[in-house]
Amino acid sequence: MMRIEDNQRYSKTQFKQTYPQLSSYLLDQTLDQLDLEDKLLVFARRDADQALLDGQSKIFESFNQQVKTGNVIGFLGYGDEQLEIHTRFSQNDDFFLNYLLQKVMDFELVNLESGLGLSDSYYDFLFYLFPRYLNQAMRKGIYREYRYFEHNDTHLKGTFKPARHLKENTPFMGKVAYTTRDYTVQTDLLYLIRHTLEYLKINKPVVYEYLLQSDESRANLSFILNQSQDFYRVSLDQSIQTNLKKPVNHAFYTEYRQLQLLCLLILQQEKHGLNSSPNKVYGILFDVAWLWEEYLYLILADLDFQHPQNKQRSDGVLLYQKMYGKHRNRTVYPDFYHPDGLVLDAKYKRADHGIQRNDLYQIITYSHILNAKTAGIIFPSLSQHQCDILGDLAGLGGQIFKLGFQIPQEAPNYAAFVQTMIASEKQVKNHLQNFLEQ
């Protein structure tokens, strides 16, 4: 097995020899293409309306005789092939990824020092995704679909079934056998969710208790329990097989498809439980650049930075102060900016030796529009913590800097890694505070 890391290049020949099946399905394919073909089964999602991963991203891209990785990390499998994509800041254990997930996803991961492989850690992580996926799906409203129900009572209101009527109501005692087609919440998916809740309650009580920590989760849990009181009439195996054969495919209910896949992974109690078809790639993927940006937002929250959302088109900054004619104004989305004149761009790339030209032009643009006195990038670094001032801009002025956030590499365990990260966080905030006070 090759050790694969983000933003690296590897021999194309060696990659194909090591992963012949995965390479044939994944090489030079965008995530949108894979998703449409229903081969990549689980994505980590950001919220109810936006995929965490950019659909045009490629997991593996050909470059001459090499294979290039990007910002997509996680694990993938196909048959007996299993591939793990680590962050480039990991050694044996990917403490950095675990730390980002713990911060951004807002829960405590467990067994980080149990010696499990990356895919094992992700499987454990799936349990903690369930509350988030459940809440995201139910923000669209409870999933409903049309189903046929058989009845045998005195209130005929559907399609009369003479054969079943004769079988069940001979001699005639006043009841009538009939069938109705109702738009109902009592679906195969509802019972799958209920079975998952029962499994978590018994086997993962910590996750089940996590569902009770917010008003939204408690309300969703209560609704599911009330609507599925007869779930025991559908066995666990039957529920799994029915949902495997009947995926949610309505475009409006995309979040329920993700929840359905997650429930199946959990209930099959296998690391790659959805690998029931020999022609499907399975796994869970994350955009580490997005995780890095959201992590920075959390640690900078007490400094009152604004954090526009590009993909959601919210909290942006208008490019033109005044418009002439019928031209359309444009909106830009700096990663972070402060009312006191500081622009900060999060970059998950190597910048120890300088800022790339496009990134430099970008922060200069933001700086000018916001009339900021200081602008720079912040990036994760293998080197010692550093803050380099590149210079003062010509023209309207303004200072440009780059801020390297040291990611510890020699931590003997996860607890030591966390303490070193906390120290790096304090150094970063001190530097930014100094810029704000200038």
Side-chain angles (χ1 to χ4, degrees), residues 23 76 232 273 323 417 430 437:
S23 62
L76 296 161
Y232 56 87
M323 292 292 298
F417 179 88
N430 287 338
E437 293 173 355

Side-chain angles (χ1 to χ4, degrees), residues 41 185 373 425 437:
L41 298 179
V185 302
K373 57 189 178 183
E425 292 167 2
E437 293 173 355

Side-chain angles (χ1 to χ4, degrees), residues 23 47 56 67 130 159 174 190 198 203 220 285 386 395 398 400 415:
S23 62
D47 54 38
Q56 295 305 306
V67 170
F130 179 80
T159 303
L190 176 74
E198 295 299 317
N203 298 282
N220 291 337
L285 300 174
Q386 58 178 328
I400 301 297

Side-chain angles (χ1 to χ4, degrees), residues 54-314:
D54 183 352
Q56 295 305 306
S57 297
K58 296 178 181 179
I59 307 172
F60 301 104
E61 185 173 8
S62 296
F63 183 80
N64 295 329
Q65 294 302 312
Q66 296 179 315
V67 170
K68 183 172 65 173
T69 58
N71 292 330
V72 178
I73 57 176
F75 79 82
L76 296 161
Y78 182 95
D80 58 355
E81 294 180 14
Q82 296 179 17
L83 185 153
E84 300 175 353
I85 310 174
H86 299 255
T87 71
R88 64 181 184 273
F89 298 97
S90 66
Q91 293 180 332
N92 295 323
D93 297 309
D94 209 330
F95 291 156
F96 178 58
L97 174 59
N98 281 318
Y99 188 75
L100 292 183
L101 290 174
Q102 178 178 321
K103 289 290 186 180
V104 174
M105 297 300 187
D106 191 27
F107 54 70
E108 295 292 331
L109 291 174
V110 296
N111 296 328
L112 291 180
E113 299 178 53
S114 62
L116 297 177
L118 184 62
S119 54
D120 299 276
S121 298
Y122 279 143
Y123 179 63
D124 198 47
F125 173 66
L126 291 178
F127 297 110
Y128 293 87
L129 279 178
F130 179 80
R132 177 177 288 258
Y133 273 49
L134 177 65
N135 291 339
Q136 288 174 356
M138 293 191 69
R139 288 173 195 148
K140 284 286 185 73
I142 187 64
Y143 177 77
R144 300 171 185 268
E145 63 182 28
Y146 282 102
R147 289 189 62 195
Y148 288 97
F149 292 89
E150 292 185 347
H151 306 272
N152 188 40
D153 53 41
T154 59
H155 307 291
L156 176 62
K157 57 179 180 180
T159 303
F160 177 61
K161 296 295 182 179
R164 184 161 60 85
H165 175 74
L166 292 174
K167 180 179 179 181
E168 297 182 9
N169 298 308
T170 302
F172 181 67
M173 301 293 291
K175 295 182 179 181
V176 179
Y178 62 97
T179 300
T180 60
R181 184 173 182 264
D182 301 325
Y183 194 54
T184 179
V185 302
Q186 269 77 40
T187 62
D188 296 320
L189 178 57
L190 176 74
Y191 296 125
L192 181 73
I193 297 172
R194 178 59 186 270
H195 276 294
T196 306
L197 287 169
E198 295 299 317
Y199 176 85
L200 294 175
K201 187 176 182 179
I202 296 172
N203 298 282
K204 295 289 180 179
V206 174
V207 180
Y208 193 85
E209 289 296 322
Y210 184 73
L211 280 165
L212 305 175
Q213 292 182 10
S214 72
D215 293 339
E216 181 184 21
S217 294
R218 285 196 299 271
N220 291 337
L221 177 62
S222 177
F223 184 88
I224 295 294
L225 296 180
N226 288 334
Q227 294 294 324
S228 60
Q229 295 183 24
D230 61 341
F231 79 99
Y232 56 87
R233 299 168 70 177
V234 180
S235 70
L236 175 60
D237 289 340
Q238 180 183 350
S239 182
I240 290 173
Q241 293 305 316
T242 301
N243 280 272
L244 282 171
K245 296 175 183 177
K246 186 181 174 184
V248 175
N249 55 19
H250 196 290
F252 181 75
Y253 288 121
T254 301
E255 290 74 28
Y256 276 100
R257 173 55 176 160
Q258 299 296 316
L259 178 61
Q260 183 184 44
L261 292 169
L262 184 61
C263 289
L264 289 168
L265 276 171
I266 291 173
L267 290 177
Q268 288 182 303
Q269 302 178 50
E270 297 178 15
K271 195 173 9 180
H272 308 307
L274 285 179
N275 190 27
S276 56
S277 169
N279 298 316
K280 286 191 175 183
V281 175
Y282 51 92
I284 181 169
L285 300 174
F286 301 91
D287 184 347
V288 69
W290 176 84
L291 284 171
W292 171 247
E293 182 179 326
E294 293 304 299
Y295 160 70
L296 290 175
Y297 178 54
L298 292 175
I299 70 170
L300 298 178
D302 58 349
L303 295 180
D304 297 324
F305 275 91
Q306 303 297 311
H307 181 38
Q309 302 291 329
N310 187 359
K311 293 181 181 179
Q312 291 178 313
R313 295 293 187 265
S314 65

Side-chain angles (χ1 to χ4, degrees), residues 14-28:
Q14 183 183 2
F15 182 79
K16 285 187 170 184
Q17 288 176 347
T18 308
Y19 304 106
Q21 299 177 94
L22 280 170
S23 62
S24 66
Y25 276 103
L26 300 178
L27 196 57
D28 296 319

